């Protein structure tokens, strides 16, 4: 079955440490996204990528970095510059078709990141 | 900046009752999506509305889109406990592949 796989499910970060969250999709989608969700809040866009080797900052990119070397993969690194990283991180993908071909985003199961 | 507002933010309703969740957005778009999120879980797509006047129904949920009013509604008919979840609407605009999410409506259905 096609889908999005995020790993790990739970992650703990020490002070001053960078951590990387994995996101892999086998849906053949061109576009991929990273969102942050804080308790009781909506989704805020961190980064998105519409094509391999290209990505754009979202609303809260500071303290995060991404790469898109393969169509299937869009890892997110939470750097030590992100002072409040505790949150639920969701990866999503979508087609880039418009008009009646437009499809909703597909989401992974998320990674819950906490500070030790 | 595109803004997407939902109301109410919190909704507690009795089983068997009807209610409507509203989603307003601030710029032109004819593509709107509704998602459901259970506590601690990911988002599940419910409806995709791709034109003015679009109406989709699945079970006790019905979604509609009025692009002229920049408004979508999610109507709940005869609520049951299984519908308890947080519901998000999202909009994407013509120029890009960026989706803008509403604040979410946390629905609790009380027996």
């Amino acid at each position: 079955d096609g889908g999005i796989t995020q790993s790990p499910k739970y992650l703990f970060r020490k002070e001053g440490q960078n951590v990387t969250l994995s996101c892999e999709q086998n849906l053949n989608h061109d576009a991929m996204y990273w969102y942050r969700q804080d308790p009781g809040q909506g989704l805020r866009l961190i980064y998105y990528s519409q094509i391999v080797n290209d990505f754009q900052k979202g609303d809260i990119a500071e303290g995060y970095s991404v790469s898109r070397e393969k169509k299937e993969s869009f890892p997110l690194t939470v750097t030590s510059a992100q002072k409040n990283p505790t949150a639920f991180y969701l990866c999503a993908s979508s087609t880039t078709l418009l008009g009646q071909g437009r499809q909703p985003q597909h989401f992974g199961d998320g990674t819950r990141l906490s500070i030790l | 900046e595109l803004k997407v507002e939902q109301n109410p933010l919190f909704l507690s309703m009795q089983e068997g009752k009807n209610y409507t969740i509203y989603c307003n957005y601030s710029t032109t778009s004819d593509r709107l999506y509704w998602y459901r999120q259970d506590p601690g879980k990911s988002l599940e797509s419910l409806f995709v509305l791709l034109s003015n006047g679009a109406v989709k129904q699945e079970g006790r949920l019905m979604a509609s889109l009025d692009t002229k009013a920049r408004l979508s509604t999610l109507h709940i008919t005869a609520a049951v406990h299984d519908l308890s979840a947080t519901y998000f609407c999202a909009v994407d605009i013509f120029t890009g592949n960026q989706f803008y999410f509403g604040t979410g409506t946390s629905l609790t259905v009380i027996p």
Side-chain angles (χ1 to χ4, degrees):
Chain A
D1 284 340
I4 299 180
T5 301
Q6 287 187 243
S7 62
K9 191 169 183 177
Y10 299 96
L11 186 58
F12 298 91
R13 196 192 86 171
K14 296 180 182 178
E15 291 286 339
Q17 185 182 42
N18 293 351
V19 292
T20 297
L21 284 60
S22 172
C23 178
E24 303 277 332
Q25 55 101 357
N26 61 3
L27 297 165
N28 199 33
H29 286 169
D30 288 309
M32 297 186 74
Y33 311 78
W34 275 106
Y35 294 93
R36 169 177 171 146
Q37 187 177 32
D38 292 283
Q41 304 292 314
L43 278 68
R44 292 187 289 169
L45 182 66
I46 305 172
Y47 270 98
Y48 67 106
S49 168
Q50 299 187 54
I51 195 168
V52 174
N53 292 322
D54 187 46
F55 47 82
Q56 289 78 40
K57 292 182 179 179
D59 299 321
I60 55 165
E62 187 173 349
Y64 300 97
S65 66
V66 292
S67 62
R68 187 86 187 275
E69 297 177 1
K70 298 187 300 182
K71 186 175 184 177
E72 301 80 15
S73 178
F74 192 40
L76 173 74
T77 297
V78 184
T79 74
S80 57
Q82 173 50 247
K83 299 305 180 186
N84 183 24
T86 298
F88 187 46
Y89 290 84
L90 285 162
C91 179
S93 70
S94 73
T95 66
T96 52
L97 293 173
L98 297 179
Q100 292 302 310
R102 192 56 159 159
Q103 297 294 313
Q105 290 179 305
H106 291 250
F107 284 84
D109 288 337
T111 292
R112 201 165 294 278
L113 175 62
S114 303
I115 297 180
L116 281 177
Chain B
E1 179 187 339
L2 190 154
K3 291 188 177 179
V4 184
E5 295 181 339
Q6 287 181 238
N7 69 83
L9 297 183
F10 299 94
L11 176 57
S12 180
M13 56 190 299
Q14 286 186 314
E15 278 191 333
K17 298 292 187 181
N18 303 334
Y19 208 84
T20 300
I21 298 171
Y22 297 89
C23 174
N24 290 89
Y25 52 98
S26 63
T27 194
T28 302
S29 174
D30 57 2
R31 299 191 295 274
L32 190 130
Y33 312 83
W34 284 97
Y35 295 87
R36 168 180 172 144
Q37 185 180 36
D38 291 300
K41 303 292 186 183
S42 188
L43 273 72
E44 171 192 355
S45 176
L46 293 174
F47 299 110
V48 179
L49 303 168
L50 297 178
S51 61
N52 185 41
V55 177
K56 295 278 185 75
Q57 183 164 6
E58 180 74 32
R60 301 174 187 274
L61 300 177
M62 183 173 71
S64 65
L65 178 62
D66 181 343
T67 58
K68 294 178 182 176
R70 299 179 186 172
L71 171 69
S72 179
T73 61
L74 181 65
H75 187 72
I76 303 154
T77 301
V80 293
H81 180 69
D82 285 351
L83 291 179
S84 297
T86 299
Y87 293 86
F88 290 95
C89 63
V91 173
D92 79 273
I93 58 175
F94 179 76
T95 57
N97 281 295
Q98 193 169 346
F99 295 75
Y100 297 84
F101 281 81
T103 47
T105 296
S106 177
L107 170 65
T108 302
V109 180
I110 303 167

